[in-house]
Amino acid sequence: MLFDMSPLDLLVLAIMIILLFGPDKLPEVVQKVTGFLRKVREFSEAAEEDVRSELGPEFKDLELEDLHPKTFVRKHLLGGEGDGLGIEEIRSALDPRAELAELADAVNGEPGESTERAARTDPTGRAGGGARGAASPEPPTAHAYDPDAT
C-alpha cells in the first residue's frame, strides 16, 4: 500500500482533509499538493542525473535503488540467484534447529538419529555390540513425567 497505510487509514485521512479544508477550498489544496509532488519528483530526477553525470560514462546505467545494502548484497555477492558464495550451505550449517531437534528427542526419550547410533555401538565405540558379538543394548525406556517430583 501507499506508505504502508491500509485502505481504512487512507479513508480516515481523506475524511480529515475534507473536514479540515472544507469542500470549497479542497480543489485548490489538491492542486497545490500535486504541484509540490511534481516539483519534488523533478528535483529528485535532476539530482539522480547530476550524480550519474558526475560519476562518468561507466556509471551511466546506475540505479540508486541498487545502492540499498540488501539489493547490493543480493546483486553483487549472491550473484542474483542466491548461490554465488554458497550462502545457503553456510546458513544451513549454522542453523541450530537440527541439533535442537536431536536434543529434544534425546530428552523426550524418542529414538532419534543419535540414540539409534548409540544403540548400534558399544561404549568402546565398536559397532555391533560387545566383544563377543552380543546383541546391542536396549535403548533406555522413557519414564513417565511426574509433576510432583519436580
Side-chain angles (χ1 to χ4, degrees):
M1 292 294 322
L2 179 70
F3 300 113
D4 198 27
M5 295 176 68
S6 69
L8 182 62
D9 292 340
L10 291 174
L11 180 66
V12 169
L13 186 62
I15 291 172
M16 298 264 309
I17 290 172
I18 290 172
L19 291 176
L20 185 64
F21 294 108
D24 53 336
K25 290 187 178 181
L26 192 59
E28 182 182 328
V29 170
V30 169
Q31 286 178 347
K32 287 182 180 181
V33 168
T34 55
F36 174 74
L37 291 176
R38 273 192 213 109
K39 286 183 182 182
V40 168
R41 183 178 297 146
E42 289 171 5
F43 176 74
S44 67
E45 288 173 357
E48 284 182 24
E49 193 58 40
D50 288 344
V51 168
R52 284 190 191 104
S53 67
E54 291 295 323
L55 289 175
E58 60 269 5
F59 293 102
K60 189 176 185 178
D61 60 341
L62 173 72
E63 292 295 326
L64 294 180
E65 292 85 19
D66 292 343
L67 298 178
H68 189 278
K70 284 184 180 180
T71 308
F72 182 82
V73 168
R74 193 175 300 125
K75 183 176 180 181
H76 295 287
L77 295 180
L78 301 179
E81 297 294 321
D83 57 356
L85 294 176
I87 299 296
E88 291 300 322
E89 291 84 12
I90 294 171
R91 185 178 291 150
S92 64
L94 295 176
D95 190 15
R97 284 183 266 185
E99 292 176 16
L100 291 175
E102 186 176 328
L103 181 63
D105 289 344
V107 168
N108 292 332
E110 298 174 7
E113 183 178 307
S114 62
T115 55
E116 290 173 1
R117 190 177 332 123
R120 289 192 301 263
T121 60
D122 68 353
T124 60
R126 291 177 289 185
R132 296 188 179 103
S136 64
E138 294 287 325
T141 59
H143 298 288
Y145 175 73
D146 186 9
D148 296 329
T150 55

